[in-house]
Amino acid sequence: MKPFSLFIVLCCLAVSALAAPASYVLENTEVRDIRAQALKRDYQLYVALPDSYRQGNKRYPVLFVVDANYSFAIVRNIAQRLNKHAGMEEVVVVGLSYANGDGGVYSRRRDYTPTTPRKHEYRSDMPGRQPAFGEAKAYGQFVSGEVFPFIASNYRVNMQRKVFIGHSYGSLLGLQFLLTQPRTFEHYILGSPSLWYDAGVMFDREQAYAASHKDLPASVFFGIGSLEKLAAGKKRSRSEEDADMVADLREFDGKLKSRKFPGLTSRLRVFEDEDHASVFPFVLTHGLRAYLTSVK
């Protein structure tokens, strides 16, 4: 290529690069890198600060939301809207990303599930790597042992007002906390928990907890869409293909209530005409209202 022609090409590339549209950035948000030492994996924390954060010394309730790659912006925006238009108190939102370098499906299957499933075979979304499961306990220790201190030392948050927010597999992780270390969070918002997982292993976990504990000190809001049920002609069973998630959640919540744990507050809301993909904003809104207070 002649020098003049090369010069023209380079100029065109430079102009094209300069003209590239800018990315949209959420205001008052930060991205922090964090190393999970025991897991030997890297993650990111997405942090959204309230509008008044720079104006005083107040410490805010803090919402920890998993599956942050899709849920962080939803939680941040709905929490801000509830504050500005419904008078709900301001919060700090912390989103927990998938592991760096992992596919989202791969990361959440591994980090959010309590066991390796006994009855199913799964395909990996990462070529050359077998699916991984059952690391919820270890991941939970990372959250409480490393994420919590990092957030507490870098932001003005009230660590006595921590909220867990999860959906689907993310709610399995919430149940892992609830049935092992319930005081890890002061409030749990659990949408459409995958109670069918591993032949209903969380029903076994709940029964084992009740057999060895006299109390479950926790505030829990369960939410699910009314359409998350069996198709016509299907028979309910403890398997993914035949999961009636509404019936599962009603049964699970009923078992918790039947224990009459003095420290447990459990609420269940079924949202009409919503399915697994659409229900999360409804669960979030009502779950926040069940815990946060009005300041107006």
Side-chain angles (χ1 to χ4, degrees):
M1 182 178 293
K2 295 181 179 180
F4 181 76
S5 299
L6 177 60
F7 174 76
I8 295 297
V9 170
L10 292 175
C11 287
C12 290
L13 290 174
V15 170
S16 177
L18 289 173
S23 298
Y24 179 78
V25 177
L26 294 173
E27 293 181 292
N28 296 325
T29 60
E30 300 175 357
V31 178
R32 298 293 195 108
D33 296 317
I34 186 167
R35 175 75 173 173
Q37 297 296 335
L39 301 178
K40 296 180 171 58
R41 293 193 288 269
D42 295 308
Y43 295 85
Q44 289 184 319
L45 303 176
Y46 310 149
V47 182
L49 303 174
D51 290 343
S52 68
Y53 188 83
R54 310 295 182 190
Q55 300 170 5
N57 297 314
K58 178 181 176 180
R59 293 189 176 274
Y60 298 85
V62 54
L63 316 182
F64 291 89
V65 55
V66 295
D67 284 312
N69 297 53
Y70 82 83
S71 62
F72 172 73
I74 297 172
V75 175
R76 178 258 189 195
N77 291 346
I78 288 179
Q80 286 196 358
R81 187 166 182 82
L82 288 173
N83 167 254
K84 292 178 179 179
H85 300 286
M88 193 168 291
E89 60 187 313
E90 290 181 298
V91 296
V92 170
V93 180
V94 178
L96 288 85
S97 80
Y98 303 130
N100 292 356
D102 286 351
V105 173
Y106 188 94
S107 185
R108 70 196 303 267
R109 279 177 175 172
R110 178 194 58 218
D111 291 345
Y112 301 168
T113 59
T115 55
T116 298
R118 292 163 284 184
K119 292 189 174 182
H120 295 286
E121 294 183 359
Y122 292 78
R123 291 184 178 180
S124 175
D125 66 328
M126 299 191 68
R129 295 175 65 179
Q130 291 297 313
F133 299 92
E135 295 190 20
K137 179 180 179 180
Y139 182 80
Q141 291 170 342
F142 157 64
V143 172
S144 60
E146 298 179 74
V147 173
F148 283 5
F150 181 90
I151 294 299
S153 63
N154 286 281
Y155 298 97
R156 292 198 323 277
V157 293
N158 183 347
M159 295 300 284
Q160 279 67 55
R161 299 192 68 199
K162 302 183 300 297
V163 178
F164 178 92
I165 302 170
H167 181 256
S168 195
Y169 272 14
S171 289
L172 279 185
L173 178 64
L175 291 175
Q176 169 74 25
F177 283 116
L178 183 68
L179 296 175
T180 55
Q181 299 291 333
R183 295 183 186 276
T184 304
F185 296 90
E186 284 65 49
H187 185 57
Y188 293 82
I189 301 174
L190 304 179
S192 308
S194 302
L195 290 165
W196 52 261
Y197 181 81
D198 194 12
V201 66
M202 278 304 179
F203 287 93
D204 300 333
R205 296 281 182 91
E206 189 279 334
Q207 185 174 359
Y209 183 94
S212 58
H213 294 79
K214 295 182 179 180
D215 196 11
L216 179 56
S219 168
V220 187
F221 182 89
F222 290 117
I224 196 165
S226 67
L227 302 180
E228 298 186 71
K229 58 186 179 181
L230 284 174
K234 289 285 187 177
K235 183 178 179 180
R236 184 182 176 210
S237 69
R238 294 281 188 235
S239 65
E240 180 178 5
E241 291 82 5
D242 298 319
D244 187 328
M245 295 183 68
V246 176
D248 281 351
L249 186 54
R250 288 190 187 278
E251 180 182 344
F252 191 87
D253 183 60
K255 286 183 180 295
L256 286 178
K257 286 183 169 66
S258 73
R259 310 302 185 187
K260 299 189 183 304
F261 292 125
L264 175 66
T265 300
S266 173
R267 286 146 290 190
L268 168 60
R269 177 76 181 267
V270 179
F271 295 92
E272 291 300 318
D273 300 320
E274 303 300 334
D275 60 23
H276 197 71
S278 66
V279 77
F280 178 66
F282 297 91
V283 177
L284 171 66
T285 298
H286 288 264
L288 290 177
R289 284 176 168 166
Y291 180 72
L292 297 178
T293 61
S294 175
V295 295
K296 293 182 179 179

